[in-house]
Amino acid sequence: MKEKLMEDLKWRGLLYQQTDEAGLEDLLNKEKISLYCGVDPTADSMHIGHIVPLLTLRRFQMHGHRPILLVGGATGMIGDPSGRSEERQLQTTEQIDRNVAGIKKQMEQIFDFNSENGAQMVNNNDWVGSMSVIEFLRDFGKLLGVNYMLAKDNVASRLDSGISFTEFSYMLIQGIDFNHLFNNYGCRVQIGGSDQWGNITTGLEVIRKTHEEEVKAFGITIPLVTKADGTKFGKSAGGAVWLDAEKTSPYEFYQFWINTADADAVKYMKIFTFIEREEIEAFEITVQEEPHLRKAQLRLAEEMTRLIHGQEALDQAIRISKALFSGDLKTLTANEMKDAFKDVPSFEMAKEDKNIVDFIVDSGVSPSRRQAREDVTNGAISLNGERVTDTAYEVSAADRLDDAFTIVRRGKKNYKMVKFV
């Protein structure tokens, strides 16, 4: 089982750098270990780009190891220079606390906390926040030379544009974290994205220099996820794809995965899902032989939506998708319609009864009154999924969902949301 874990990670393309591949494999063959991954609370939600190291950590848990989830209440106040060309905006303590709470909730969705090797959640503010400046400089500042720190990519890349001492000290604080978890939780491994290599190896250096006897700790990084066309992964038309349902609804989340390109579908199944190798290889064949059926994308969307939002949210996302495909909107609730048509063109209109012809012309659905009458009589106009064929029809409060909006469809796929003010 343990040997299979590392083989599986390699097959899925989840191993980028390792500090000691043979040593780690030997350790995993001999014992169950604790290992950790950290997330800084820079926002009150993670997005899908954040979760690859966490899902990799979950794979270790599924093989009997114990994950430690570190939420950086302290490091979040400092700002990681990795992968950035300028300083982060510092956040207030209150905002950091809100962000920590949001991220903890999302981690609880991904990990098992109740089994024998249940996940543990920690906040580095618990040990870094109480440390005085003198303690920091005396006990840890002396461990690393400035030249050592300047040579790290995450610092070296910022020297020309400028880096404050605050962000310069970030890697040392993360090194303190690894050392603390090593001492107090028996943590032997840190996992992170490829941009975390410098921070992870700094942690190993701190551990080495604070222990007289030789100790074994390890670091692993995960490759950056990219799209086949070279564009940035994790972005949709509306921006980042968040795990928070208020920022990215389960339906939008589901649609993001459904819209995965054929060239990326199997790759994402390997990286993001826990589907077994044999089944993924079968999907690889369907992508090549029956790409129009989009079986891999459907399975990918189902697995990811269920994992992050639960079965009920997945069922709702599927129901919305089917209703939009069939054009039968009557099966949807007002909230589901609002969700489904969030990004369609909209028009604001006063709350008043209006003849259907005037209504669709004024809202820009039909270009002229003549065309509007023709559209109505030909059955091309629907309000909230109900076809209107009578040119004398009066659009009234009964057509306003939540007394706030009406979904108008012209033809098969031209939708507009009329918002009432």
Side-chain angles (χ1 to χ4, degrees):
M1 181 74 84
K2 295 165 191 167
E3 293 88 347
K4 186 182 176 184
L5 168 61
M6 298 308 286
E7 290 172 11
D8 187 55
L9 294 181
K10 288 175 185 175
W11 176 77
R12 291 176 184 271
L14 289 171
L15 295 178
Y16 182 58
Q17 295 160 300
Q18 296 188 62
T19 56
D20 179 0
E21 181 177 351
L24 177 57
E25 191 124 14
D26 183 58
L27 175 66
L28 295 175
N29 288 338
K30 290 178 179 176
E31 59 185 278
K32 305 287 188 186
I33 65 166
S34 292
L35 64 167
Y36 95 98
C37 180
V39 176
D40 277 346
T42 54
D44 59 3
S45 171
M46 295 183 285
H47 56 69
I48 55 174
H50 288 133
I51 64 173
V52 181
L54 293 173
L55 293 175
T56 305
L57 191 63
R58 174 74 171 114
R59 296 180 200 282
F60 277 86
Q61 183 179 32
M62 292 168 71
H63 282 75
H65 305 288
R66 183 184 296 279
I68 300 172
L69 310 169
L70 185 148
V71 182
T75 39
M77 294 183 187
I78 301 301
D80 186 356
S82 303
R84 295 183 65 87
S85 58
E86 57 186 24
E87 292 273 324
R88 294 180 186 271
Q89 287 292 111
L90 295 179
Q91 300 185 77
T92 64
T93 302
E94 292 74 23
Q95 183 60 55
I96 291 285
D97 289 344
R98 285 195 295 272
N99 295 350
V100 167
I103 289 172
K104 279 184 176 180
K105 185 177 178 183
Q106 291 167 355
M107 285 185 171
E108 288 166 355
Q109 186 71 21
I110 297 172
F111 289 89
D112 174 10
F113 283 81
N114 300 313
S115 63
E116 184 181 346
N117 62 323
Q120 296 174 280
M121 199 172 296
V122 297
N123 185 334
N124 62 9
N125 196 48
D126 291 342
W127 57 86
V128 176
S130 59
M131 189 181 298
S132 72
V133 175
I134 297 301
E135 287 177 302
F136 173 70
L137 295 174
R138 182 194 63 195
D139 296 341
F140 297 101
K142 64 182 176 60
L143 299 178
L144 302 179
V146 171
N147 288 343
Y148 173 90
M149 298 174 75
L150 289 174
K152 297 294 184 182
D153 287 343
N154 51 348
V155 171
S157 63
R158 287 281 298 279
L159 292 179
D160 289 338
S161 59
I163 182 171
S164 69
F165 179 76
T166 299
E167 289 198 359
F168 181 69
S169 67
Y170 181 94
M171 74 169 76
L172 180 54
I173 296 177
Q174 194 173 116
I176 293 170
D177 290 343
F178 199 173
N179 187 61
H180 177 88
L181 296 178
F182 182 89
N183 291 335
N184 295 278
Y185 293 83
C187 179
R188 306 290 293 277
V189 180
Q190 182 180 358
I191 292 178
S194 57
D195 63 338
Q196 293 299 304
W197 181 250
N199 293 328
I200 291 172
T201 53
T202 297
L204 295 174
E205 184 72 359
V206 171
I207 290 172
R208 185 180 70 83
K209 290 195 171 182
T210 54
H211 293 78
E212 292 183 3
E213 73 281 7
E214 184 179 351
V215 295
K216 279 291 184 181
F218 305 87
I220 301 174
T221 64
I222 315 299
L224 178 69
V225 180
T226 56
K227 289 185 178 181
D229 63 7
T231 57
K232 190 170 184 179
F233 169 78
K235 298 284 185 180
S236 67
V241 181
W242 299 95
L243 305 194
D244 185 339
E246 296 297 318
K247 296 178 183 290
T248 300
S249 71
Y251 167 72
E252 293 172 294
F253 190 83
Y254 178 82
Q255 285 298 316
F256 171 82
W257 299 104
I258 284 286
N259 291 326
T260 299
D262 290 339
D264 291 319
V266 170
K267 174 184 174 181
Y268 292 172
M269 289 182 101
K270 291 178 180 179
I271 293 172
F272 289 95
T273 78
F274 301 104
I275 300 172
E276 294 292 338
R277 178 171 181 168
E278 295 76 12
E279 189 176 349
I280 292 178
E281 288 174 340
F283 276 111
E284 199 162 11
I285 295 171
T286 67
V287 169
Q288 294 170 357
E289 297 181 353
E290 305 171 308
H292 59 287
L293 297 180
R294 301 185 71 76
K295 289 182 179 178
Q297 286 91 336
L298 284 165
R299 183 63 190 281
L300 175 64
E302 288 176 5
E303 289 291 316
M304 292 308 299
T305 307
R306 184 186 295 111
L307 173 68
I308 300 302
H309 296 292
Q311 185 64 46
E312 187 176 340
L314 169 61
D315 293 341
Q316 183 186 58
I318 293 173
R319 186 167 65 252
I320 294 173
S321 299
K322 287 180 177 178
L324 293 183
F325 182 78
S326 67
D328 183 13
L329 305 186
K330 297 186 294 296
T331 61
L332 302 181
T333 66
N335 281 337
E336 288 171 343
M337 282 211 202
K338 187 184 294 184
D339 195 6
F341 294 101
K342 181 179 176 183
D343 296 320
V344 302
S346 62
F347 180 85
E348 292 189 350
M349 186 179 291
K351 290 182 181 179
E352 58 184 15
D353 292 356
K354 188 172 286 195
N355 173 265
I356 184 65
V357 173
D358 295 330
F359 180 80
I360 61 177
V361 171
D362 291 349
S363 60
V365 173
S366 296
S368 66
R369 291 179 61 78
R370 182 193 63 77
Q371 184 64 55
R373 284 191 291 271
E374 194 174 306
D375 288 339
V376 172
T377 55
N378 288 342
I381 299 296
S382 295
L383 302 182
N384 304 325
E386 295 282 357
R387 186 168 292 168
V388 178
T389 56
D390 182 1
T391 56
Y393 183 84
E394 289 287 309
V395 181
S396 65
D399 299 297
R400 296 199 291 266
L401 299 174
D402 285 348
D403 199 34
F405 67 96
T406 298
I407 301 298
V408 187
R409 187 182 73 183
R410 181 187 181 216
K412 287 189 175 181
K413 292 188 177 179
N414 294 317
Y415 289 96
K416 179 165 279 191
M417 178 185 286
V418 177
K419 299 177 180 178
F420 296 97
V421 294

PDB file of all heavy atoms in Angstrom, residues 266 280-297:
ATOM      1  N   VAL A 266      -8.359  14.272 -18.666  1.00  0.00           N
ATOM      2  CA  VAL A 266      -7.757  13.133 -17.966  1.00  0.00           C
ATOM      3  C   VAL A 266      -6.670  13.602 -17.005  1.00  0.00           C
ATOM      4  O   VAL A 266      -6.547  13.102 -15.881  1.00  0.00           O
ATOM      5  CB  VAL A 266      -7.196  12.116 -18.989  1.00  0.00           C
ATOM      6  CG1 VAL A 266      -6.365  11.051 -18.289  1.00  0.00           C
ATOM      7  CG2 VAL A 266      -8.340  11.472 -19.760  1.00  0.00           C
ATOM      8  N   ILE A 280      -9.526   5.779 -14.638  1.00  0.00           N
ATOM      9  CA  ILE A 280      -9.050   6.959 -15.362  1.00  0.00           C
ATOM     10  C   ILE A 280      -8.504   6.557 -16.729  1.00  0.00           C
ATOM     11  O   ILE A 280      -8.740   7.245 -17.733  1.00  0.00           O
ATOM     12  CB  ILE A 280      -7.981   7.704 -14.536  1.00  0.00           C
ATOM     13  CG1 ILE A 280      -8.613   8.330 -13.291  1.00  0.00           C
ATOM     14  CG2 ILE A 280      -7.293   8.783 -15.376  1.00  0.00           C
ATOM     15  CD1 ILE A 280      -7.630   9.047 -12.375  1.00  0.00           C
ATOM     16  N   GLU A 281      -7.793   5.444 -16.785  1.00  0.00           N
ATOM     17  CA  GLU A 281      -7.252   4.988 -18.072  1.00  0.00           C
ATOM     18  C   GLU A 281      -8.374   4.632 -19.040  1.00  0.00           C
ATOM     19  O   GLU A 281      -8.242   4.817 -20.256  1.00  0.00           O
ATOM     20  CB  GLU A 281      -6.315   3.794 -17.851  1.00  0.00           C
ATOM     21  CG  GLU A 281      -4.999   4.225 -17.199  1.00  0.00           C
ATOM     22  CD  GLU A 281      -4.102   3.057 -16.824  1.00  0.00           C
ATOM     23  OE1 GLU A 281      -4.624   1.914 -16.709  1.00  0.00           O
ATOM     24  OE2 GLU A 281      -2.890   3.276 -16.632  1.00  0.00           O
ATOM     25  N   ALA A 282      -9.493   4.133 -18.513  1.00  0.00           N
ATOM     26  CA  ALA A 282     -10.653   3.853 -19.365  1.00  0.00           C
ATOM     27  C   ALA A 282     -11.242   5.164 -19.901  1.00  0.00           C
ATOM     28  O   ALA A 282     -11.639   5.240 -21.081  1.00  0.00           O
ATOM     29  CB  ALA A 282     -11.710   3.076 -18.576  1.00  0.00           C
ATOM     30  N   PHE A 283     -11.279   6.195 -19.068  1.00  0.00           N
ATOM     31  CA  PHE A 283     -11.759   7.499 -19.529  1.00  0.00           C
ATOM     32  C   PHE A 283     -10.829   8.077 -20.594  1.00  0.00           C
ATOM     33  O   PHE A 283     -11.269   8.792 -21.492  1.00  0.00           O
ATOM     34  CB  PHE A 283     -11.889   8.476 -18.358  1.00  0.00           C
ATOM     35  CG  PHE A 283     -13.184   8.348 -17.603  1.00  0.00           C
ATOM     36  CD1 PHE A 283     -13.210   7.856 -16.309  1.00  0.00           C
ATOM     37  CD2 PHE A 283     -14.380   8.719 -18.195  1.00  0.00           C
ATOM     38  CE1 PHE A 283     -14.408   7.731 -15.614  1.00  0.00           C
ATOM     39  CE2 PHE A 283     -15.582   8.605 -17.515  1.00  0.00           C
ATOM     40  CZ  PHE A 283     -15.602   8.104 -16.218  1.00  0.00           C
ATOM     41  N   GLU A 284      -9.553   7.782 -20.491  1.00  0.00           N
ATOM     42  CA  GLU A 284      -8.594   8.265 -21.476  1.00  0.00           C
ATOM     43  C   GLU A 284      -8.959   7.756 -22.875  1.00  0.00           C
ATOM     44  O   GLU A 284      -8.836   8.472 -23.872  1.00  0.00           O
ATOM     45  CB  GLU A 284      -7.186   7.792 -21.085  1.00  0.00           C
ATOM     46  CG  GLU A 284      -6.077   8.574 -21.738  1.00  0.00           C
ATOM     47  CD  GLU A 284      -4.760   8.385 -21.005  1.00  0.00           C
ATOM     48  OE1 GLU A 284      -4.665   7.507 -20.125  1.00  0.00           O
ATOM     49  OE2 GLU A 284      -3.826   9.139 -21.321  1.00  0.00           O
ATOM     50  N   ILE A 285      -9.455   6.532 -22.925  1.00  0.00           N
ATOM     51  CA  ILE A 285      -9.875   5.948 -24.209  1.00  0.00           C
ATOM     52  C   ILE A 285     -11.134   6.640 -24.719  1.00  0.00           C
ATOM     53  O   ILE A 285     -11.250   6.958 -25.907  1.00  0.00           O
ATOM     54  CB  ILE A 285     -10.111   4.432 -24.047  1.00  0.00           C
ATOM     55  CG1 ILE A 285      -8.789   3.737 -23.701  1.00  0.00           C
ATOM     56  CG2 ILE A 285     -10.721   3.842 -25.323  1.00  0.00           C
ATOM     57  CD1 ILE A 285      -8.930   2.282 -23.317  1.00  0.00           C
ATOM     58  N   THR A 286     -12.100   6.908 -23.812  1.00  0.00           N
ATOM     59  CA  THR A 286     -13.346   7.551 -24.256  1.00  0.00           C
ATOM     60  C   THR A 286     -13.093   8.969 -24.763  1.00  0.00           C
ATOM     61  O   THR A 286     -13.761   9.429 -25.689  1.00  0.00           O
ATOM     62  CB  THR A 286     -14.401   7.593 -23.124  1.00  0.00           C
ATOM     63  OG1 THR A 286     -13.948   8.474 -22.090  1.00  0.00           O
ATOM     64  CG2 THR A 286     -14.643   6.217 -22.544  1.00  0.00           C
ATOM     65  N   VAL A 287     -12.131   9.675 -24.162  1.00  0.00           N
ATOM     66  CA  VAL A 287     -11.804  11.024 -24.631  1.00  0.00           C
ATOM     67  C   VAL A 287     -11.279  10.969 -26.061  1.00  0.00           C
ATOM     68  O   VAL A 287     -11.583  11.836 -26.890  1.00  0.00           O
ATOM     69  CB  VAL A 287     -10.766  11.698 -23.700  1.00  0.00           C
ATOM     70  CG1 VAL A 287     -10.227  12.973 -24.335  1.00  0.00           C
ATOM     71  CG2 VAL A 287     -11.390  12.011 -22.357  1.00  0.00           C
ATOM     72  N   GLN A 288     -10.516   9.924 -26.363  1.00  0.00           N
ATOM     73  CA  GLN A 288      -9.954   9.789 -27.705  1.00  0.00           C
ATOM     74  C   GLN A 288     -10.983   9.297 -28.710  1.00  0.00           C
ATOM     75  O   GLN A 288     -11.029   9.782 -29.845  1.00  0.00           O
ATOM     76  CB  GLN A 288      -8.766   8.821 -27.664  1.00  0.00           C
ATOM     77  CG  GLN A 288      -7.575   9.337 -26.866  1.00  0.00           C
ATOM     78  CD  GLN A 288      -6.524   8.263 -26.630  1.00  0.00           C
ATOM     79  OE1 GLN A 288      -6.698   7.107 -27.013  1.00  0.00           O
ATOM     80  NE2 GLN A 288      -5.436   8.641 -25.973  1.00  0.00           N
ATOM     81  N   GLU A 289     -11.824   8.352 -28.296  1.00  0.00           N
ATOM     82  CA  GLU A 289     -12.736   7.707 -29.241  1.00  0.00           C
ATOM     83  C   GLU A 289     -14.128   8.331 -29.289  1.00  0.00           C
ATOM     84  O   GLU A 289     -14.794   8.261 -30.321  1.00  0.00           O
ATOM     85  CB  GLU A 289     -12.857   6.217 -28.898  1.00  0.00           C
ATOM     86  CG  GLU A 289     -11.535   5.458 -29.035  1.00  0.00           C
ATOM     87  CD  GLU A 289     -11.678   3.980 -28.723  1.00  0.00           C
ATOM     88  OE1 GLU A 289     -12.787   3.569 -28.269  1.00  0.00           O
ATOM     89  OE2 GLU A 289     -10.696   3.236 -28.926  1.00  0.00           O
ATOM     90  N   GLU A 290     -14.578   8.902 -28.165  1.00  0.00           N
ATOM     91  CA  GLU A 290     -15.923   9.498 -28.109  1.00  0.00           C
ATOM     92  C   GLU A 290     -15.885  10.873 -27.443  1.00  0.00           C
ATOM     93  O   GLU A 290     -16.588  11.113 -26.463  1.00  0.00           O
ATOM     94  CB  GLU A 290     -16.874   8.585 -27.318  1.00  0.00           C
ATOM     95  CG  GLU A 290     -16.968   7.170 -27.823  1.00  0.00           C
ATOM     96  CD  GLU A 290     -17.756   6.276 -26.868  1.00  0.00           C
ATOM     97  OE1 GLU A 290     -17.446   6.252 -25.673  1.00  0.00           O
ATOM     98  OE2 GLU A 290     -18.718   5.630 -27.350  1.00  0.00           O
ATOM     99  N   PRO A 291     -15.066  11.792 -27.928  1.00  0.00           N
ATOM    100  CA  PRO A 291     -14.919  13.082 -27.246  1.00  0.00           C
ATOM    101  C   PRO A 291     -16.224  13.863 -27.141  1.00  0.00           C
ATOM    102  O   PRO A 291     -16.412  14.629 -26.191  1.00  0.00           O
ATOM    103  CB  PRO A 291     -13.893  13.816 -28.109  1.00  0.00           C
ATOM    104  CG  PRO A 291     -13.966  13.153 -29.447  1.00  0.00           C
ATOM    105  CD  PRO A 291     -14.283  11.726 -29.175  1.00  0.00           C
ATOM    106  N   HIS A 292     -17.137  13.669 -28.104  1.00  0.00           N
ATOM    107  CA  HIS A 292     -18.396  14.424 -28.112  1.00  0.00           C
ATOM    108  C   HIS A 292     -19.294  14.078 -26.931  1.00  0.00           C
ATOM    109  O   HIS A 292     -20.167  14.867 -26.549  1.00  0.00           O
ATOM    110  CB  HIS A 292     -19.153  14.166 -29.429  1.00  0.00           C
ATOM    111  CG  HIS A 292     -19.482  12.730 -29.656  1.00  0.00           C
ATOM    112  ND1 HIS A 292     -18.517  11.796 -30.003  1.00  0.00           N
ATOM    113  CD2 HIS A 292     -20.664  12.033 -29.581  1.00  0.00           C
ATOM    114  CE1 HIS A 292     -19.088  10.602 -30.139  1.00  0.00           C
ATOM    115  NE2 HIS A 292     -20.376  10.719 -29.877  1.00  0.00           N
ATOM    116  N   LEU A 293     -19.093  12.904 -26.324  1.00  0.00           N
ATOM    117  CA  LEU A 293     -19.916  12.506 -25.175  1.00  0.00           C
ATOM    118  C   LEU A 293     -19.460  13.164 -23.877  1.00  0.00           C
ATOM    119  O   LEU A 293     -20.219  13.203 -22.912  1.00  0.00           O
ATOM    120  CB  LEU A 293     -19.887  10.981 -25.022  1.00  0.00           C
ATOM    121  CG  LEU A 293     -20.466  10.173 -26.175  1.00  0.00           C
ATOM    122  CD1 LEU A 293     -20.365   8.676 -25.889  1.00  0.00           C
ATOM    123  CD2 LEU A 293     -21.921  10.569 -26.447  1.00  0.00           C
ATOM    124  N   ARG A 294     -18.227  13.649 -23.851  1.00  0.00           N
ATOM    125  CA  ARG A 294     -17.683  14.380 -22.704  1.00  0.00           C
ATOM    126  C   ARG A 294     -17.873  13.612 -21.384  1.00  0.00           C
ATOM    127  O   ARG A 294     -18.164  14.186 -20.331  1.00  0.00           O
ATOM    128  CB  ARG A 294     -18.281  15.785 -22.611  1.00  0.00           C
ATOM    129  CG  ARG A 294     -18.024  16.628 -23.847  1.00  0.00           C
ATOM    130  CD  ARG A 294     -18.513  18.046 -23.715  1.00  0.00           C
ATOM    131  NE  ARG A 294     -17.713  18.837 -22.797  1.00  0.00           N
ATOM    132  CZ  ARG A 294     -16.511  19.341 -23.078  1.00  0.00           C
ATOM    133  NH1 ARG A 294     -15.953  19.119 -24.256  1.00  0.00           N
ATOM    134  NH2 ARG A 294     -15.852  20.075 -22.190  1.00  0.00           N
ATOM    135  N   LYS A 295     -17.663  12.304 -21.446  1.00  0.00           N
ATOM    136  CA  LYS A 295     -17.838  11.465 -20.256  1.00  0.00           C
ATOM    137  C   LYS A 295     -16.829  11.816 -19.164  1.00  0.00           C
ATOM    138  O   LYS A 295     -17.167  11.833 -17.975  1.00  0.00           O
ATOM    139  CB  LYS A 295     -17.700   9.988 -20.638  1.00  0.00           C
ATOM    140  CG  LYS A 295     -18.852   9.440 -21.454  1.00  0.00           C
ATOM    141  CD  LYS A 295     -18.636   7.956 -21.742  1.00  0.00           C
ATOM    142  CE  LYS A 295     -19.789   7.379 -22.548  1.00  0.00           C
ATOM    143  NZ  LYS A 295     -19.554   5.935 -22.864  1.00  0.00           N
ATOM    144  N   ALA A 296     -15.589  12.071 -19.564  1.00  0.00           N
ATOM    145  CA  ALA A 296     -14.554  12.398 -18.572  1.00  0.00           C
ATOM    146  C   ALA A 296     -14.869  13.702 -17.861  1.00  0.00           C
ATOM    147  O   ALA A 296     -14.725  13.816 -16.636  1.00  0.00           O
ATOM    148  CB  ALA A 296     -13.184  12.472 -19.253  1.00  0.00           C
ATOM    149  N   GLN A 297     -15.323  14.714 -18.630  1.00  0.00           N
ATOM    150  CA  GLN A 297     -15.653  16.007 -18.018  1.00  0.00           C
ATOM    151  C   GLN A 297     -16.829  15.874 -17.056  1.00  0.00           C
ATOM    152  O   GLN A 297     -16.835  16.498 -15.981  1.00  0.00           O
ATOM    153  CB  GLN A 297     -15.986  17.035 -19.111  1.00  0.00           C
ATOM    154  CG  GLN A 297     -14.780  17.543 -19.880  1.00  0.00           C
ATOM    155  CD  GLN A 297     -14.454  16.734 -21.117  1.00  0.00           C
ATOM    156  OE1 GLN A 297     -14.809  15.558 -21.201  1.00  0.00           O
ATOM    157  NE2 GLN A 297     -13.791  17.351 -22.073  1.00  0.00           N
TER     158      GLN A 297
END
